[in-house]
Amino acid sequence: MSGARANESGFNPLLMAAMVIVGVVAFIALWALVALGPQLSSGNDGGGHSLSKAAPGFAGLVDLLERSGAHVELRRHVGPGAASGDEPLLILTPTHQTKPNEIEELLNQRGRRALVVLPKWQTVTMPGQAKKPGWVGQGFPVTPDGALLPESQFGKVRIRAPQARAQTVPASVAGRPFAAYLPDNAQTVDGDGIIPLIAGANGGAVLAMAKERDFYVLADPDLIDNFAFASRDRARAAAMLIDAIGEDADTDSVAFDLTLNGFGGGRSLLRFAFVPPFIGITLCLIAAGLLALWQAWVRFGPALKPARAIPISKEALIANSADLVRQARRELDGADAYVANQRLAIARRLHAPAGLDPEATDAWIDRRLKRGSDLFSAIARRLPFARNRHEFLEGAQALHDIRKELLRDG
């Protein structure tokens, strides 16, 4: 009963171990998602980047370029790509909140050729009103500030959205003529540090190039975003525009940057802990923690206190005495005393007549045994002549069984 009560009131080791394991796994998973969440995100959030399938996004252009056999890379990190060979045309899709130094950091790498697609739309997603996941509900054109483009690369520029109707204008980039479809009130850019490549409707340039390096600026994203894929002709013009810019920059591959849109892997110790080469150290620390938990599990419960050298109790006294007899190899010398002890205990409990000698007492005990069982007197005479421990233990056990049978005790 006491053992059952202890189990009911105490901790369940299996339950506690399961709670610890679940907690450790959840803790590691939480920090891994915090560190790698931007890189694992699908990105279909209605924004103006290459993962978005909404109108201001560029997922349609990515899909079209991939289907046409071009090498397309979606970069979630700052620095050279994983592909070997020449640096591809890097397409930057900044937002209205992007800082110029962030764009400058991406552009200031050796051998880089880039196209900066200026933002245009501020979108609002109304909960429950989007027809499909990732679509936007409403969009408002907002002309970005000219300071968005780094002055060190493009000089001082001005971005405008003059009043103009949608129209088709002839364009020629890298000696390749094609038609460019300009939307209503197309954004344009002008400045002393850029060279116009595709003129706008009322001055300025829709597509321009920096004078010093192979950096291009597309003032209006509606020439290549998902909104342009509303018609086959505009989609073909978007693909031709990117292909012409790539040919002018002397590159045959395209890379879309995602770091400016919040989907890159930031430079943090937390992220480094879950990517090579530091993932090995993280796994070693996790293994060390699991070994520590295993050690705690093996020693579950309070620490054991060292026992006394000599316990205090009658049982301890008996155990110590028996140990001394065993060490002295004098077990057989206690046969007469053991027989006398068993005889006296049985006679007292069964109220044997007083004044009987040992032989008479043994005969009195024999008359109370069942027929066919071993006689107490025979075992009592045989036990003192035991030749070894085996015979002694056999006889002592027989006397003990007779005592149990007569007295009904353990």
Side-chain angles (χ1 to χ4, degrees), residues 219-234:
D220 198 306
D222 286 345
L223 272 71
I224 61 173
D225 59 14
N226 296 334
F227 183 74
F229 281 69
S231 67
R232 182 184 299 271
D233 293 337
R234 294 177 63 185

Side-chain angles (χ1 to χ4, degrees), residues 79-105:
S84 60
D86 294 336
E87 182 72 17
L89 176 67
L90 181 64
I91 300 179
L92 307 180
T93 55
T95 66
H96 290 83
Q97 291 75 33
T98 302
K99 298 179 181 179
N101 63 316
E102 296 176 345
I103 300 178
E104 187 175 10
E105 181 183 5

Side-chain angles (χ1 to χ4, degrees), residues 21-302:
I21 293 174
V22 171
V24 171
V25 173
F27 179 80
I28 296 174
L30 171 64
W31 286 108
L33 289 176
V34 170
L36 304 177
Q39 292 184 298
L40 300 177
S41 174
S42 65
N44 190 24
D45 57 357
H49 50 81
S50 57
L51 294 177
S52 174
K53 298 180 180 179
F58 302 93
L61 178 62
V62 173
D63 184 66
L64 179 61
L65 292 176
E66 290 178 343
R67 290 175 183 270
S68 63
H71 180 271
V72 182
E73 180 184 355
L74 302 181
R75 289 193 181 177
R76 297 176 183 261
H77 61 87
V78 178
S84 60
D86 294 336
E87 182 72 17
L89 176 67
L90 181 64
I91 300 179
L92 307 180
T93 55
T95 66
H96 290 83
Q97 291 75 33
T98 302
K99 298 179 181 179
N101 63 316
E102 296 176 345
I103 300 178
E104 187 175 10
E105 181 183 5
L106 291 171
L107 296 179
N108 282 340
Q109 295 195 16
R110 184 177 180 181
R112 174 146 291 178
R113 285 142 305 175
L115 168 65
V116 181
V117 182
L118 296 179
K120 179 179 180 179
W121 297 99
Q122 292 278 20
T123 59
V124 177
T125 301
M126 305 300 294
Q129 296 185 8
K131 295 182 179 180
K132 291 184 179 182
W135 285 24
V136 296
Q138 295 179 351
F140 307 93
V142 177
T143 303
D145 190 357
L148 178 65
L149 292 173
E151 186 175 347
S152 61
Q153 307 292 348
F154 301 96
K156 290 186 178 181
V157 299
R158 183 178 59 163
I159 304 172
R160 299 183 302 116
Q163 295 289 332
R165 299 180 60 181
Q167 57 185 294
T168 302
V169 297
S172 177
V173 179
R176 178 181 299 184
F178 60 94
Y181 292 84
L182 304 185
D184 293 332
N185 306 327
Q187 287 186 165
T188 60
V189 60
D190 59 77
D192 297 335
I194 57 177
I195 303 173
L197 297 179
I198 300 178
N202 293 327
V206 177
L207 178 66
M209 176 183 178
K211 291 183 177 181
E212 301 296 333
R213 297 179 60 181
D214 292 334
F215 294 153
Y216 303 84
V217 179
L218 181 62
D220 198 306
D222 286 345
L223 272 71
I224 61 173
D225 59 14
N226 296 334
F227 183 74
F229 281 69
S231 67
R232 182 184 299 271
D233 293 337
R234 294 177 63 185
R236 183 184 297 111
M240 293 181 64
L241 176 61
I242 297 298
D243 187 55
I245 295 175
E247 184 176 348
D248 188 67
D250 193 21
T251 180
D252 56 358
S253 59
V254 177
F256 287 85
D257 173 74
L258 292 170
T259 61
L260 295 180
N261 306 98
F263 297 99
R267 295 190 182 116
S268 66
L269 293 177
L270 183 59
R271 178 180 173 272
F272 286 155
F274 294 95
V275 296
F278 300 103
I279 183 63
I281 299 177
T282 303
L283 294 177
C284 290
L285 292 177
I286 293 174
L290 293 177
L291 289 176
L293 289 176
W294 173 253
Q295 183 182 16
W297 164 259
V298 172
R299 201 220 68 171
F300 189 85

Side-chain angles (χ1 to χ4, degrees), residues 314-336:
K314 292 182 179 179
E315 293 182 359
L317 179 60
I318 295 173
N320 290 336
S321 300
D323 189 52
L324 289 174
V325 172
R326 184 173 61 253
Q327 293 182 12
R329 299 182 181 274
R330 307 290 292 182
E331 297 93 334
L332 302 181
D333 295 343
D336 291 330

